Amino acid sequence: MNSARGYRESTPSSFSNSGCNGVCIMSTTWKDGQHPSFINFISSFLDANSYRLNFVPISPDFIFNCGGLSVAFIFVTNWGFEHAASIFSKIQKLRGQFAHFYVVVTLPTKEQNDSFIRSYFKYGMEFGRPTFIPVQDLEMGFEKIVKVAHARGVCKRQDGIAKLSAEREKSVKAMDIYVKVVTSIPGIHNHDANALNQAIGSIEAIAKASKEHILENTDLSTEKAETITRFFRDPKYYLGPKIR
């Protein structure tokens, strides 16, 4: 267990918003290996930044669920060469299980940094698989974890918004084309096209609909219903110069 030390007061980061930003799941095994004062710092920091904290027996040290995205972390708080084999073995197992996986390593001294670099190459790590984040102290390490998780969640939400916007634009364009086609029928206007779309459906469905079905399900007049059925079924009509 890490020795007792003083932790700076946790303060909200720039990304703190009202509501809940996500859920932080902390490994119970990892928690048991840390000093209680550091766990208190983590709890306060998460609360200040609108994250819920749960303790669960999981393989990574942390899993953040933000915006429908899961981001996993290993957080090495006390690097030592004697632990390198077990640490890198765990990393090798987990990197194939999570699409978004990061390793944060606290390296406050030059000796620890040099030891970590030697181990990184000794155990055949591939650059970026996963991403390693070296930090100077524990608080900085956890703040990095939260910022990375939050950034990934924001990107996920923005992707979702972009997709919805694209789908909405596609739907609007499709409706514009629909209205143009239907209003090309003589005497049929935008209101009629919207009514047909809501009550009958696609252009194919309109082409198959009987005059009676159109009259029963829309507010179109008998004359317009007859024009529509003739337009799609009478070759003399739809092959004539009627389309504007």
Side-chain angles (χ1 to χ4, degrees), residues 13 20 37 39 42 46 59 94 111 132 150 152 155 161 183 221 235 243:
S13 298
C20 181
S37 58
I39 301 302
I42 289 174
L46 290 170
S59 296
L94 292 176
E111 290 74 17
F132 285 78
H150 181 78
R152 299 298 314 215
C155 289
I161 292 171
T183 55
S221 66
I243 299 179

mmCIF file of all heavy atoms in Angstrom, residues 13 20 37 39 42 46 59 94 111 132 150 152 155 161 183 221 235 243:
data_model
loop_
_atom_site.group_PDB
_atom_site.id
_atom_site.type_symbol
_atom_site.label_atom_id
_atom_site.label_comp_id
_atom_site.label_asym_id
_atom_site.label_seq_id
_atom_site.Cartn_x
_atom_site.Cartn_y
_atom_site.Cartn_z
ATOM 1 N N SER A 13 -12.677 20.488 -12.942
ATOM 2 C CA SER A 13 -11.938 20.815 -14.156
ATOM 3 C C SER A 13 -12.802 21.668 -15.067
ATOM 4 O O SER A 13 -13.988 21.864 -14.823
ATOM 5 C CB SER A 13 -11.529 19.526 -14.879
ATOM 6 O OG SER A 13 -10.664 18.757 -14.069
ATOM 7 N N CYS A 20 -24.800 14.547 -14.966
ATOM 8 C CA CYS A 20 -23.798 13.500 -14.781
ATOM 9 C C CYS A 20 -22.981 13.325 -16.054
ATOM 10 O O CYS A 20 -23.529 13.107 -17.128
ATOM 11 C CB CYS A 20 -24.483 12.186 -14.414
ATOM 12 S SG CYS A 20 -23.334 10.822 -14.125
ATOM 13 N N SER A 37 -6.318 8.046 1.757
ATOM 14 C CA SER A 37 -6.374 9.476 1.435
ATOM 15 C C SER A 37 -6.404 9.713 -0.072
ATOM 16 O O SER A 37 -7.019 10.674 -0.551
ATOM 17 C CB SER A 37 -5.192 10.222 2.063
ATOM 18 O OG SER A 37 -3.959 9.681 1.617
ATOM 19 N N ILE A 39 -7.743 7.554 -2.269
ATOM 20 C CA ILE A 39 -9.097 7.162 -2.675
ATOM 21 C C ILE A 39 -10.073 8.287 -2.369
ATOM 22 O O ILE A 39 -10.986 8.571 -3.157
ATOM 23 C CB ILE A 39 -9.530 5.860 -1.953
ATOM 24 C CG1 ILE A 39 -8.554 4.717 -2.275
ATOM 25 C CG2 ILE A 39 -10.956 5.475 -2.355
ATOM 26 C CD1 ILE A 39 -8.412 4.402 -3.750
ATOM 27 N N ILE A 42 -9.690 10.860 -5.079
ATOM 28 C CA ILE A 42 -10.363 10.420 -6.302
ATOM 29 C C ILE A 42 -11.870 10.614 -6.189
ATOM 30 O O ILE A 42 -12.520 11.134 -7.101
ATOM 31 C CB ILE A 42 -10.027 8.938 -6.586
ATOM 32 C CG1 ILE A 42 -8.569 8.804 -7.032
ATOM 33 C CG2 ILE A 42 -10.966 8.364 -7.653
ATOM 34 C CD1 ILE A 42 -8.101 7.373 -7.193
ATOM 35 N N LEU A 46 -13.975 13.153 -8.599
ATOM 36 C CA LEU A 46 -15.060 12.665 -9.460
ATOM 37 C C LEU A 46 -16.371 13.371 -9.138
ATOM 38 O O LEU A 46 -17.118 13.753 -10.044
ATOM 39 C CB LEU A 46 -15.212 11.155 -9.301
ATOM 40 C CG LEU A 46 -14.092 10.301 -9.882
ATOM 41 C CD1 LEU A 46 -14.241 8.845 -9.456
ATOM 42 C CD2 LEU A 46 -14.057 10.403 -11.405
ATOM 43 N N SER A 59 -11.030 -6.367 -14.208
ATOM 44 C CA SER A 59 -9.625 -6.608 -14.578
ATOM 45 C C SER A 59 -8.827 -5.321 -14.751
ATOM 46 O O SER A 59 -7.710 -5.223 -14.225
ATOM 47 C CB SER A 59 -9.561 -7.452 -15.852
ATOM 48 O OG SER A 59 -10.115 -8.731 -15.617
ATOM 49 N N LEU A 94 -5.189 -7.285 -21.582
ATOM 50 C CA LEU A 94 -6.311 -6.351 -21.652
ATOM 51 C C LEU A 94 -6.399 -5.567 -22.950
ATOM 52 O O LEU A 94 -7.487 -5.138 -23.345
ATOM 53 C CB LEU A 94 -6.240 -5.360 -20.479
ATOM 54 C CG LEU A 94 -6.489 -5.946 -19.089
ATOM 55 C CD1 LEU A 94 -6.294 -4.876 -18.017
ATOM 56 C CD2 LEU A 94 -7.891 -6.526 -18.998
ATOM 57 N N GLU A 111 15.276 7.673 -12.334
ATOM 58 C CA GLU A 111 15.576 6.246 -12.263
ATOM 59 C C GLU A 111 14.347 5.421 -12.633
ATOM 60 O O GLU A 111 14.453 4.434 -13.380
ATOM 61 C CB GLU A 111 16.044 5.878 -10.849
ATOM 62 C CG GLU A 111 17.408 6.410 -10.462
ATOM 63 C CD GLU A 111 17.398 7.905 -10.182
ATOM 64 O OE1 GLU A 111 16.289 8.481 -9.968
ATOM 65 O OE2 GLU A 111 18.489 8.518 -10.196
ATOM 66 N N PHE A 132 0.525 4.823 -23.658
ATOM 67 C CA PHE A 132 1.054 5.009 -22.307
ATOM 68 C C PHE A 132 1.130 6.503 -21.994
ATOM 69 O O PHE A 132 1.540 7.306 -22.834
ATOM 70 C CB PHE A 132 2.454 4.397 -22.191
ATOM 71 C CG PHE A 132 2.457 2.892 -22.105
ATOM 72 C CD1 PHE A 132 2.287 2.114 -23.236
ATOM 73 C CD2 PHE A 132 2.630 2.259 -20.881
ATOM 74 C CE1 PHE A 132 2.288 0.737 -23.163
ATOM 75 C CE2 PHE A 132 2.643 0.871 -20.790
ATOM 76 C CZ PHE A 132 2.473 0.107 -21.936
ATOM 77 N N HIS A 150 -13.218 11.682 -20.525
ATOM 78 C CA HIS A 150 -14.198 12.708 -20.876
ATOM 79 C C HIS A 150 -14.087 13.090 -22.358
ATOM 80 O O HIS A 150 -15.101 13.221 -23.053
ATOM 81 C CB HIS A 150 -13.988 13.940 -20.005
ATOM 82 C CG HIS A 150 -14.966 15.038 -20.274
ATOM 83 N ND1 HIS A 150 -16.260 15.029 -19.807
ATOM 84 C CD2 HIS A 150 -14.839 16.193 -20.988
ATOM 85 C CE1 HIS A 150 -16.886 16.115 -20.208
ATOM 86 N NE2 HIS A 150 -16.053 16.842 -20.933
ATOM 87 N N ARG A 152 -12.947 11.304 -24.844
ATOM 88 C CA ARG A 152 -13.462 10.215 -25.684
ATOM 89 C C ARG A 152 -14.991 10.230 -25.696
ATOM 90 O O ARG A 152 -15.616 10.011 -26.733
ATOM 91 C CB ARG A 152 -12.959 8.869 -25.188
ATOM 92 C CG ARG A 152 -11.448 8.663 -25.194
ATOM 93 C CD ARG A 152 -10.809 8.739 -26.564
ATOM 94 N NE ARG A 152 -11.493 8.015 -27.591
ATOM 95 C CZ ARG A 152 -10.890 7.375 -28.601
ATOM 96 N NH1 ARG A 152 -9.573 7.351 -28.652
ATOM 97 N NH2 ARG A 152 -11.565 6.769 -29.536
ATOM 98 N N CYS A 155 -16.254 13.087 -27.909
ATOM 99 C CA CYS A 155 -16.115 12.721 -29.333
ATOM 100 C C CYS A 155 -17.223 11.769 -29.754
ATOM 101 O O CYS A 155 -17.779 11.890 -30.849
ATOM 102 C CB CYS A 155 -14.752 12.084 -29.585
ATOM 103 S SG CYS A 155 -13.365 13.235 -29.492
ATOM 104 N N ILE A 161 -24.258 13.058 -32.751
ATOM 105 C CA ILE A 161 -24.993 14.247 -33.197
ATOM 106 C C ILE A 161 -24.793 14.466 -34.693
ATOM 107 O O ILE A 161 -25.732 14.798 -35.419
ATOM 108 C CB ILE A 161 -24.531 15.480 -32.402
ATOM 109 C CG1 ILE A 161 -24.969 15.357 -30.939
ATOM 110 C CG2 ILE A 161 -25.098 16.765 -33.013
ATOM 111 C CD1 ILE A 161 -24.377 16.409 -30.028
ATOM 112 N N THR A 183 -46.128 16.498 -56.760
ATOM 113 C CA THR A 183 -46.750 17.735 -57.253
ATOM 114 C C THR A 183 -46.561 17.917 -58.764
ATOM 115 O O THR A 183 -47.101 18.870 -59.337
ATOM 116 C CB THR A 183 -46.173 18.975 -56.523
ATOM 117 O OG1 THR A 183 -44.744 18.987 -56.641
ATOM 118 C CG2 THR A 183 -46.573 18.969 -55.055
ATOM 119 N N SER A 221 -59.839 15.890 -52.754
ATOM 120 C CA SER A 221 -61.143 15.860 -53.409
ATOM 121 C C SER A 221 -61.246 14.646 -54.322
ATOM 122 O O SER A 221 -60.243 14.016 -54.668
ATOM 123 C CB SER A 221 -61.345 17.138 -54.226
ATOM 124 O OG SER A 221 -60.421 17.173 -55.308
ATOM 125 N N PRO A 235 -52.035 4.770 -69.451
ATOM 126 C CA PRO A 235 -50.881 5.137 -70.295
ATOM 127 C C PRO A 235 -51.135 6.400 -71.111
ATOM 128 O O PRO A 235 -50.226 7.210 -71.305
ATOM 129 C CB PRO A 235 -50.709 3.920 -71.192
ATOM 130 C CG PRO A 235 -51.341 2.797 -70.444
ATOM 131 C CD PRO A 235 -52.496 3.403 -69.711
ATOM 132 N N ILE A 243 -46.914 16.537 -67.294
ATOM 133 C CA ILE A 243 -45.989 16.895 -66.205
ATOM 134 C C ILE A 243 -45.427 18.277 -66.458
ATOM 135 O O ILE A 243 -44.908 18.554 -67.521
ATOM 136 C CB ILE A 243 -44.872 15.856 -66.117
ATOM 137 C CG1 ILE A 243 -45.465 14.490 -65.815
ATOM 138 C CG2 ILE A 243 -43.846 16.264 -65.067
ATOM 139 C CD1 ILE A 243 -44.436 13.386 -65.722
#
